[in-house]
Amino acid sequence: MDEKKSGSGLPDISGVFNVNDSDIPDRLLDKPEARKTDRPQDRRGIIFTEQTTKEELLKKQRTVRRRGNAAKKRRLRRRRMITAAAVIAAAVIAVFAVKTAVENSKRPTVELYTVTVGAVRSTYESQAAVVTAATGKNPIATYAVIPENSYDLNGIKTGQTAMITNSDGKVYEAHVTDIAEESADTALTDSVGSALTDKTLSAASNIFIYVKPDAPMNEADGTVLSVCIITAEVNDVTFVPNECIYRDSNGAFVWTVSSFGKTLAKKYVTVSLSANGCTAVIGGLKKNEKTVYKTVTDTAERPLTEGQKVKVISPEGREETTTS
């Protein structure tokens, strides 16, 4: 090579890398004539990407409007669906409320009683007069004497526990020692009759119940006292008010109410002593169970039946929303 011919001071390498297009594979050539586009290009096939044609601009605008309209339609559909769902839900709630109100109006209203454990006592209460006397071979003693015409009907027997209460409220523990007829001891019954008559108690009876205090009683003869005799007693037993006990051909039963649904169920029980408004239950019930105490609605109009739903109210008349 001739460095002088190049005129630049550099070696002349023209012709060294002379490569024809025919020597380059077609897949490596980006021929301008193979490109198809509406965009302006120069004579060498170079596309002017910085420019946008009117048609492309209109196309973009139409695309933006189409997408915006589609979004609006979707939002509108969602709002309509939500509104429709709310209307349907409100209608269902209203129907359910009306149905519940109608069902409640048909339910009998009941009040419940919680079963407890304790003593049930049958008692006989009366007035008596203090009499100091002797009966037969017994030494002189003080008695509270009750005139009674039908003591056998009251279940009174000798040995029964009694409580004597004076006018000041002092209580004396005592026991029934005798049940005597007038003819048994004329002298005694005369003094008894006199004491009773003085205190405006009837002495016309021919039967007298003698109740002797367990400890000395400092009361003057003829003093009027109150006496309560325990004629029958069961202890540590479950009991319910008499109103809770129902009976049919199969025996005594109570109505229980389920905690869920307030549904009636018939439960047969074994009863014992019934006294002072309570009935001892010796089988079939446990402490803290709840039984129907009374029905507020007319049971003739709405009789209680097995599986029937009821409305439960508290003793104060408020409807109970929970089960205890």
Side-chain angles (χ1 to χ4, degrees):
M1 297 183 196
D2 191 355
E3 295 180 359
K4 296 181 179 180
K5 290 183 179 180
S6 65
S8 61
L10 296 175
D12 183 9
I13 60 174
S14 60
V16 177
F17 298 102
N18 186 20
V19 181
N20 297 324
D21 289 347
S22 59
D23 298 330
I24 301 174
D26 292 340
R27 59 188 180 84
L28 298 179
L29 292 176
D30 187 11
K31 299 180 179 181
E33 61 271 14
R35 301 181 185 180
K36 294 182 179 180
T37 177
D38 295 332
R39 294 182 180 181
Q41 46 187 301
D42 63 4
R43 57 187 180 83
R44 294 171 298 176
I46 299 176
I47 301 171
F48 297 97
T49 56
E50 70 278 2
Q51 296 182 1
T52 303
T53 65
K54 184 177 181 181
E55 290 78 9
E56 287 181 326
L57 183 60
L58 292 175
K59 185 178 180 181
K60 287 183 179 180
Q61 291 175 348
R62 285 194 297 269
T63 301
V64 171
R65 284 196 299 269
R66 185 173 64 253
R67 292 177 179 175
N69 291 336
K72 288 180 181 179
K73 289 180 179 180
R74 287 195 296 271
R75 289 195 296 270
L76 182 60
R77 281 197 300 270
R78 276 198 299 270
R79 284 197 295 268
R80 288 176 177 174
M81 290 176 63
I82 293 172
T83 302
V87 171
I88 293 172
V92 171
I93 292 172
V95 171
F96 179 77
V98 172
K99 183 179 179 181
T100 302
V102 172
E103 288 180 352
N104 286 338
S105 67
K106 295 179 180 179
R107 294 183 182 184
T109 302
V110 299
E111 182 182 325
L112 301 182
Y113 173 82
T114 302
V115 178
T116 55
V117 174
V120 176
R121 297 184 180 92
S122 175
T123 59
Y124 169 76
E125 297 182 10
S126 182
Q127 284 188 314
V130 176
V131 174
T132 302
T135 56
K137 298 179 181 181
N138 293 331
I140 295 176
T142 301
Y143 300 89
V145 180
I146 305 169
E148 178 59 64
N149 281 314
S150 56
Y151 71 91
D152 55 330
L153 299 180
N154 297 308
I156 300 174
K157 300 176 182 179
T158 57
Q160 290 173 337
T161 302
M163 308 298 290
I164 303 173
T165 307
N166 67 6
S167 58
D168 296 330
K170 185 176 180 179
V171 178
Y172 301 90
E173 294 184 3
H175 287 82
V176 177
T177 59
D178 197 9
I179 301 172
E181 295 185 6
E182 186 175 0
S183 58
D185 192 327
T186 304
L188 177 60
T189 53
D190 286 343
S191 63
V192 170
S194 174
L196 297 178
T197 302
D198 290 345
K199 292 301 177 181
T200 67
L201 295 175
S202 174
S205 174
N206 64 339
I207 298 173
F208 300 97
I209 301 170
Y210 293 85
V211 182
K212 183 179 179 181
D214 297 341
M217 183 171 57
N218 299 320
E219 305 288 344
D221 280 6
T223 302
V224 177
L225 306 168
S226 297
V227 177
C228 175
I229 301 174
I230 300 174
T231 58
E233 181 178 26
V234 287
N235 295 302
D236 298 324
V237 66
T238 56
F239 66 89
V240 295
N242 293 341
E243 292 86 348
C244 296
I245 303 295
Y246 296 81
R247 286 178 171 81
D248 61 13
S249 58
N250 294 322
F253 68 90
V254 297
W255 288 113
T256 61
V257 179
S258 65
S259 300
F260 179 77
K262 302 294 189 295
T263 304
L264 284 178
K266 184 183 290 187
K267 193 170 190 179
Y268 287 95
V269 295
T270 303
V271 298
S272 177
L273 177 64
S274 181
N276 294 327
C278 293
T279 298
V281 180
I282 57 176
L285 277 183
K286 296 180 181 179
K287 183 180 179 181
N288 294 329
E289 281 192 80
K290 289 185 179 293
T291 66
V292 172
Y293 170 56
K294 64 181 179 180
T295 56
V296 178
T297 52
D298 186 2
T299 53
E301 178 184 352
R302 302 173 194 171
L304 302 181
T305 58
E306 182 85 17
Q308 182 181 31
K309 290 186 176 182
V310 295
K311 183 165 59 176
V312 178
I313 63 170
S314 66
E316 294 78 18
R318 299 189 304 271
E319 184 172 1
E320 293 186 1
T321 55
T322 59
T323 61
S324 58

